[in-house]
Amino acid sequence: MARFAPIHLEADTRLHRKHPDVLPSHRRCATCRQIKPLTTDYFYPCRSSHPWQLSSFDTRCKDCILEAAKARRLADKAKYSALSSKSQKAKRSAIKAAGGPEAYAAQQAALVQKLAAARTRKEQLAALRRGLRRKYGPRPDGIKLMIAERSRMYAERRWRSSEEPKEFRRPVQANSDLESIRARHRAELAQRDSERGSA
């Protein structure tokens, strides 16, 4: 049987979330374990999450991320120098293809605006869906709703009808008819037994 660890609640109330739409004011860094304000000054935002989600900020503070990146660069200087020179070469090629630094800057500004508009539309749609789920609950299964509605309709129709249901309309058989049927069945059974014995 699987054992689950108990949920650990932080003693500091600044780390608690008072409302699903409001993030806590502070966060404990997953690396240095220090409590810092949950703002862009101390934590990097995550572009793949929405503002009301706890994952909208990185679990590590900026200082720890920068220190880890610096340690990786120092551990393999040749690799990161090659990557840096490659990125610089790609940037120079992009500037040349755009037609100069001014055209490249205008192109990048237009791209930033386009991405920001797409991000805003995505967040608005996610907020609308979130509000609909809160108001109406999860989307029900249409097939199950149709079956339940038809079952209710036919049940009300049977309840309001003065006629007997079809399963109660069987003709009543007399005892004499039952005896004749049983006698015929006994004769057929005896005949089959005799045929098996002769075979």
Side-chain angles (χ1 to χ4, degrees):
M1 182 178 180
R3 300 182 63 182
F4 300 94
I7 298 176
H8 176 67
L9 297 178
E10 295 281 357
D12 196 336
T13 57
R14 297 177 300 174
L15 304 176
H16 296 173
R17 192 172 188 177
K18 303 295 181 13
H19 192 271
D21 291 336
V22 180
L23 293 179
S25 60
H26 290 68
R27 169 171 286 183
R28 186 187 297 276
C29 177
T31 303
C32 63
R33 306 301 296 170
Q34 294 182 5
I35 298 177
K36 299 181 179 181
L38 191 59
T39 60
T40 54
D41 296 334
Y42 297 91
F43 292 90
Y44 285 110
C46 298
R47 298 182 181 274
S48 60
S49 301
H50 300 297
W52 58 83
Q53 295 176 335
L54 285 173
S55 57
S56 60
F57 286 93
D58 203 303
T59 57
R60 299 177 299 167
C61 64
K62 285 186 175 182
D63 296 336
C64 293
I65 292 177
L66 294 176
E67 288 179 2
K70 184 178 179 180
R72 287 195 301 269
R73 286 196 299 270
L74 293 176
D76 196 347
K77 292 183 179 180
K79 173 184 175 182
Y80 284 94
S81 62
L83 290 175
S84 177
S85 62
K86 185 177 180 180
S87 62
Q88 291 295 329
K89 183 178 179 181
K91 184 177 181 180
R92 289 194 298 268
S93 300
I95 292 174
K96 184 178 180 180
E102 294 79 6
Y104 178 76
Q107 184 180 3
Q108 291 298 312
L111 180 60
V112 168
Q113 290 181 358
K114 183 178 179 181
L115 293 177
R119 175 66 180 174
T120 303
R121 289 195 300 270
K122 183 179 178 181
E123 288 183 0
Q124 289 176 353
L125 181 59
L128 176 62
R129 290 177 177 173
R130 190 165 182 252
L132 291 177
R133 282 196 298 269
R134 285 182 174 181
K135 186 176 181 181
Y136 300 107
R139 186 175 181 180
D141 190 349
I143 301 298
K144 292 182 178 179
L145 287 178
M146 183 185 68
I147 293 173
E149 180 63 23
R150 288 187 178 180
S151 300
R152 185 188 60 80
M153 180 183 67
Y154 289 126
E156 289 183 357
R157 186 180 299 178
R158 288 194 300 269
W159 176 69
R160 293 176 181 176
S161 177
S162 59
E163 299 179 358
E164 288 184 335
K166 292 182 180 179
E167 56 267 20
F168 298 116
R169 296 179 187 174
R170 299 173 183 173
V172 180
Q173 295 182 350
N175 291 334
S176 59
D177 298 335
L178 291 175
E179 290 299 331
S180 61
I181 293 172
R182 290 171 180 168
R184 187 173 71 251
H185 288 173
R186 284 194 293 268
E188 293 175 355
L189 182 61
Q191 183 180 0
R192 285 197 297 269
D193 292 341
S194 61
E195 290 177 356
R196 291 175 185 171
S198 61

